[in-house]
Amino acid sequence: MNIDNLNATSWCENVIVVDADYTDRVAFNLIVNFERMIGRRIPQADMGQWLDCIALDGGVREGDNHTQVVLIHEKNSRKLDNFAPADYADELDGKAFTDRLGEFVIAAPPVEQMVSKDELMLDIVGTVCQRSEVRRIMVVPNAEEGTIYDDLRETLRRTADDDKRITLFAMQPMPGGNFRQEILGYSLMAALGIRGDEIKG
């Protein structure tokens, strides 16, 4: 995917846009808290399983689907610390995998000096909202810090049409807009192998 020319990019019917640095921090916090709570070591999150969970929450169902994943990260960040596979350049960017939900194609663009991570996310989301081939958009922003959530809500209000199913993921319920919301922690817990029966009672 050519981030420098978003409008010329060919997009899939399903698009997942992720603040990867933020998501990695959330995974770390879950690992630390749940290892204490359930008394066992928790492995790194399975990237493929996590993307499956995000896609399912965003309305993708089993079949021959095509999903574009965009993992936005800071330029000095070489890899995710709490996911596998983790290395942006060697293991994720330009790679693809296929499972029961279809094909997932991954891009891992670093944030360049001329633009902030939030600005890049807003650019990508605003662009895919206007593309007729895109039917489902799933966004994982750092909703708890800064203004990105409010900015995304305004971008979606301005650019998204009623034909698109848009789902935003956060760790807590956020003020609503013309989109669905899901709790990010559930998909991460599944990818970390934390079972519901381990945390009951």
Side-chain angles (χ1 to χ4, degrees):
M1 179 173 61
N2 184 354
I3 293 298
D4 295 327
N5 191 2
L6 292 173
N7 289 315
T9 298
S10 176
W11 293 93
C12 297
E13 70 209 54
N14 308 302
V15 178
I16 300 174
V17 186
V18 180
D19 180 334
D21 302 304
Y22 163 74
T23 305
D24 200 34
R25 288 198 306 274
V26 174
F28 172 76
N29 290 334
L30 289 174
I31 289 170
V32 170
N33 290 328
F34 279 106
E35 281 188 343
R36 275 201 304 259
M37 185 187 301
I38 63 182
R40 68 168 174 86
R41 184 182 170 278
I42 294 173
Q44 292 177 313
D46 181 308
M47 176 63 77
Q49 186 178 357
W50 180 65
L51 292 174
D52 272 357
C53 291
I54 293 291
L56 286 166
D57 284 346
V60 180
R61 295 297 175 256
E62 289 191 25
D64 185 24
N65 303 293
H66 300 278
T67 302
Q68 173 74 59
V69 180
V70 185
L71 301 174
I72 303 170
H73 61 94
E74 295 294 350
K75 194 166 190 176
N76 61 359
S77 177
R78 225 188 89 254
K79 67 184 187 69
L80 295 143
D81 293 326
N82 302 286
F83 281 81
D87 190 290
Y88 291 119
D90 294 338
E91 297 178 319
L92 294 169
D93 191 45
K95 301 297 190 291
F97 68 91
T98 302
D99 63 15
R100 63 195 171 92
L101 298 183
E103 182 183 49
F104 289 76
V105 179
I106 301 172
V111 177
E112 300 296 341
Q113 291 180 336
M114 301 297 289
V115 66
S116 72
K117 190 191 317 177
D118 287 355
E119 289 169 333
L120 180 56
M121 176 171 276
L122 290 169
D123 281 349
I124 293 171
V125 171
T127 297
V128 298
C129 278
Q130 298 177 65
R131 297 298 293 258
S132 60
E133 69 269 31
V134 177
R135 295 174 53 211
R136 299 178 193 86
I137 303 166
M138 293 135 274
V139 188
V140 187
N142 182 353
E144 288 84 14
E145 297 176 16
T147 63
I148 181 65
Y149 185 83
D150 290 335
D151 294 339
L152 273 169
R153 196 167 49 167
E154 175 60 22
T155 296
L156 292 169
R157 187 191 65 76
R158 275 189 299 104
T159 60
D161 59 51
D162 294 337
D163 294 335
K164 289 181 173 38
R165 175 172 170 150
I166 301 166
T167 310
L168 262 69
F169 294 79
M171 286 300 288
Q172 61 194 27
M174 303 294 288
N178 61 332
F179 48 82
R180 300 162 189 262
Q181 291 190 45
E182 293 287 344
I183 299 298
L184 174 62
Y186 297 150
S187 58
L188 285 171
M189 287 168 62
L192 288 164
I194 300 168
R195 304 187 312 275
D197 62 279
E198 290 185 289
I199 57 177
K200 286 179 182 172

